[in-house]
Amino acid sequence: MRDEKSRSDLGMYFKVHLFSMILLSLITGCGKTKKSKPPTSNDTNTSTQVADGNWLGSCEADGAGKSKKSDFVVSGSSATSTIRTFSDANCVTEASVSVFSIRFVVGRPVATPAGAFEVEQTVSKIMMTLKTPEGVTMANEGVKIDDAVVWPATCNGGFTINVPKELNSTVCAGDLLYGALFSTSYGIVKVDGDKIYFGETDETNDGSTPAKRPTKLESSHYSKQPSGGEISLTGTWVGACEQDEDGSSSQSTLTFSGSSLTSTSGSYLDADCTQEEFVYVETGSFTLGNELSSPAGAFTYDLKIDQIIVTYKTDERVTAVNADGGLCGQTVTKDVGLELDAADCSGDPVFSSFFSTAYDVVKVDGDKLSFGELTTTNDGSTAEKRPTALSTSYSVKQP
């Protein structure tokens, strides 16, 4: 069983990584349209131009508890694409980060699918960062089964955890996995408003030659992100499971819609965020203000909570809270949500502050959402005490 499990784990790691790399090499070439021949009345490039800027993909789970997410930044006929693999299914805990430098040409329209155009792209280099000891070992030693190497070291190895390593056509010449990524690939692209779709490859239409371009589009897409001076929080963002020194942990999920926010924060008895102790669900509204010069790219963020629903999940916690006078003077019951507002908690020294306006900062960086680092001096209790630095913790945008 041990050998079979090792074989399965190694196979899944490289299956996910191989799929991610090949997919990325075929779908990230995009940019402002450049005609491959002069247009005629029956062959005119009338697509929405693939605008410069940042395009973000969704979190894609692989069905085995792992996931990946990618984005690309377009500038003229160049693109920088970043693909992240994760050790969890929600795109929170990074396992690897690969940044692709790409040159591309978008050419003539294709007959089918409607609205799609030819695209050719070439990867010049990949900056790969491995985030786990297991990933570094596999990249440096290759995949081994029963001490036999069944997949060589990635472009001759030389990886160190959390340190980017450059891969290019020279370094990776002959590499079974990465060597082909530096050859020109041939795909299709379609822009539909703020969404962009790329071709779906298969064994027949793998994009290796012009004749083998994909003939249909992927069902998934990338979304255009706001440009500089703008910010959008709309959607659901999930934070990492954060461990405490006593072995407990916490995790939060934020959902923004318009100017409204729902925040779900859980406290857990174990380090893996599986055994719930209590859950807070906060609802309220927020206001975004001006962009700040420091922290760079952050915006002012003012939050007002209107209601909190608190649910305790253990008998021990319920007993302790009720023995201390309950919450805002109210008795709590296991597994029953207690609804609290500002009036309920006006005399509570702790909970009353939850309903005061919080003055914070927020930054969106691709699929990551960060808030300010609270300190004794900059605790967010007033506009003058707004945080001046970002927390190292962040939440990840969900599909």
Side-chain angles (χ1 to χ4, degrees), residues 209-325:
T209 68
K212 292 185 176 182
R213 290 185 194 275
T215 57
K216 59 182 179 179
L217 296 169
E218 290 273 0
S219 58
S220 59
H221 66 271
Y222 289 76
S223 299
K224 185 71 171 7
Q225 301 303 293
S227 59
E230 302 175 11
I231 187 173
S232 174
L233 304 183
T234 300
T236 298
W237 307 75
V238 177
C241 177
E242 299 184 349
Q243 290 79 36
D244 297 325
E245 294 181 357
D246 62 358
S248 63
S249 58
S250 60
Q251 189 172 28
S252 62
T253 298
L254 306 172
T255 300
F256 296 92
S257 178
S259 61
S260 299
L261 164 70
T262 299
S263 172
T264 302
S265 302
S267 179
Y268 301 84
L269 296 171
D270 64 318
D272 298 320
C273 293
T274 59
Q275 303 174 33
E276 287 185 326
E277 183 180 20
F278 60 84
V279 178
Y280 287 8
V281 179
E282 302 175 333
T283 55
S285 59
F286 66 94
T287 302
L288 289 171
N290 298 326
E291 185 173 7
L292 303 170
S293 58
S294 179
F299 289 73
T300 61
Y301 170 87
D302 299 345
L303 173 66
K304 183 70 169 63
I305 295 298
D306 300 318
Q307 182 188 69
I308 304 175
I309 300 177
V310 184
T311 306
Y312 287 100
K313 298 290 189 175
T314 67
D315 293 324
E316 294 78 7
R317 190 69 176 185
V318 168
T319 299
V321 170
N322 287 333
D324 199 34

Side-chain angles (χ1 to χ4, degrees), residues 62-247:
D62 68 358
K66 297 179 175 63
S67 56
K68 66 182 182 65
K69 193 166 188 177
S70 56
D71 64 79
F72 58 92
V73 178
V74 177
S75 179
S77 60
S78 300
T80 300
S81 181
T82 302
I83 184 167
R84 296 177 173 87
T85 63
F86 300 83
S87 58
D88 62 286
N90 296 315
C91 293
V92 175
T93 306
E94 288 184 341
S96 69
V97 179
S98 298
V99 181
F100 289 67
S101 298
I102 301 163
R103 298 287 296 178
F104 62 88
V105 174
V106 178
R108 298 178 300 177
V110 297
T112 182
F117 288 75
E118 296 178 348
V119 62
E120 298 177 15
Q121 66 92 26
T122 304
V123 176
S124 60
K125 70 175 181 179
I126 307 170
M127 297 301 297
M128 182 179 293
T129 305
L130 301 179
K131 301 283 190 173
T132 66
E134 296 80 6
V136 170
T137 298
M138 288 183 188
N140 289 338
E141 299 181 3
V143 178
K144 295 181 178 180
I145 296 180
D146 298 331
D147 294 325
V149 176
V150 297
W151 199 287
T154 301
C155 297
N156 302 314
F159 287 85
T160 303
I161 191 167
N162 292 324
V163 177
K165 174 181 171 60
E166 179 176 335
L167 305 180
N168 53 49
S169 58
T170 300
V171 173
C172 294
D175 189 281
L176 294 177
L177 177 59
Y178 291 95
L181 297 186
F182 299 98
S183 301
T184 298
S185 61
Y186 304 86
I188 57 175
V189 59
K190 179 179 179 178
V191 177
D192 184 7
D194 63 351
K195 298 181 176 63
I196 187 169
Y197 298 82
F198 294 96
E200 181 177 359
T201 59
D202 54 37
E203 291 183 0
T204 302
N205 303 105
D206 61 5
S208 59
T209 68
K212 292 185 176 182
R213 290 185 194 275
T215 57
K216 59 182 179 179
L217 296 169
E218 290 273 0
S219 58
S220 59
H221 66 271
Y222 289 76
S223 299
K224 185 71 171 7
Q225 301 303 293
S227 59
E230 302 175 11
I231 187 173
S232 174
L233 304 183
T234 300
T236 298
W237 307 75
V238 177
C241 177
E242 299 184 349
Q243 290 79 36
D244 297 325
E245 294 181 357
D246 62 358

